[in-house]
Amino acid sequence: MNILLCGFMGCGKSSVGKKVAHLSNYKFYDTDKYIEKKEGISISEIFNLKGEPYFREQETLAVKELCQKDHVIIASGGGLVLKEENVQIIKNSGCKIVYMDVPLRALHERLKRTEKRPLLQREDRTEFINTLHAQREPIYKKVADYVLPSGMPVVPLAKNLLKLIENWE
Ligand code: S3P
């Protein structure tokens, strides 16, 4: 079985995924890192040089390839499950989706100073996060097999996730 973590930027998909992999025999992948490695440039550079639509195509390719592996935990970029095609690929492969639900206030705190996220390099960051979160949250909840309350430190969170995964196995 495979697990894909989804949720808003800053919800901790990568740190929790890494920790779970460390505590188990799952292998960890991160779609952003996977794309960066393939392209040889950063996500910000891909957005700047090739545009967001190109990035979104690479995300679909990445999730297709990663879902074919076995026993992996995948941290997805915050926009990945918004594309219906990607959700179909994930579900058809038998991979479970976990939505990491972090209170909006905590997300604001975590995203205050981020410079590596191209979507947030704007003057009206606070309002933009509010709008985007309101649009995306219902979709995250809809596509998820499980909504994991995630406003807590990484170690207890990873342990909760691991318990959930063990129940599924
Ligand atoms: C994006 C989230 C980012 C990255 C890209 C776009 C999004 O990943 O994929 O900047 O649309 O929410 P994180 O969720 O890991 O920050």
Side-chain angles (χ1 to χ4, degrees):
M1 192 186 61
N2 295 331
I3 307 287
L4 181 130
L5 304 177
C6 79
F8 206 79
M9 292 172 267
C11 72
K13 293 161 291 199
S14 302
S15 29
V16 170
K18 249 181 239 166
K19 182 57 82 183
V20 166
H22 193 72
L23 296 171
S24 69
N25 53 356
Y26 277 81
K27 194 157 188 257
F28 174 71
Y29 285 93
D30 176 314
T31 56
D32 281 348
K33 291 274 173 300
Y34 191 79
I35 294 168
E36 284 180 336
K37 201 167 163 197
K38 244 188 183 174
E39 293 283 313
I41 51 177
S42 70
I43 299 298
S44 294
E45 286 169 323
I46 299 173
F47 268 70
N48 286 335
L49 300 172
K50 305 190 172 182
E52 184 174 348
Y54 178 83
F55 170 72
R56 298 298 175 194
E57 283 166 23
Q58 297 314 302
E59 270 193 320
T60 299
L61 273 181
V63 83
K64 238 181 223 163
E65 292 173 11
L66 292 175
C67 282
Q68 277 167 17
K69 296 185 183 288
D70 193 29
H71 228 63
V72 294
I73 179 155
I74 306 164
S76 64
L80 190 140
V81 299
L82 306 174
K83 189 165 155 189
E84 182 55 36
E85 182 187 354
N86 296 345
V87 175
Q88 286 315 318
I89 291 168
I90 299 162
K91 301 237 181 219
N92 289 342
S93 77
C95 176
K96 299 269 192 202
I97 302 180
V98 175
Y99 166 42
M100 291 183 49
D101 190 5
V102 171
L104 183 56
R105 237 180 319 115
L107 292 175
H108 275 294
E109 196 52 43
R110 295 183 195 181
L111 295 171
K112 240 185 208 162
R113 281 172 290 275
T114 179
E115 273 167 24
K116 61 167 207 201
R117 293 186 170 91
L119 293 181
L120 300 182
Q121 304 316 308
R122 45 194 297 150
E123 294 283 305
D124 61 344
R125 183 182 290 193
T126 304
E127 297 73 25
F128 181 74
I129 289 174
N130 287 339
T131 309
L132 202 63
H133 187 267
Q135 284 169 359
R136 289 178 168 191
E137 189 182 37
I139 304 173
Y140 293 142
K141 286 188 168 155
K142 191 181 89 188
V143 302
D145 293 291
Y146 192 85
V147 177
L148 183 70
S150 299
M152 64 178 84
V154 62
V155 172
L157 184 50
K159 288 187 175 161
N160 287 348
L161 180 54
L162 209 50
K163 266 185 233 148
L164 174 70
I165 296 174
E166 283 163 1
N167 268 334
W168 270 335
E169 283 175 341

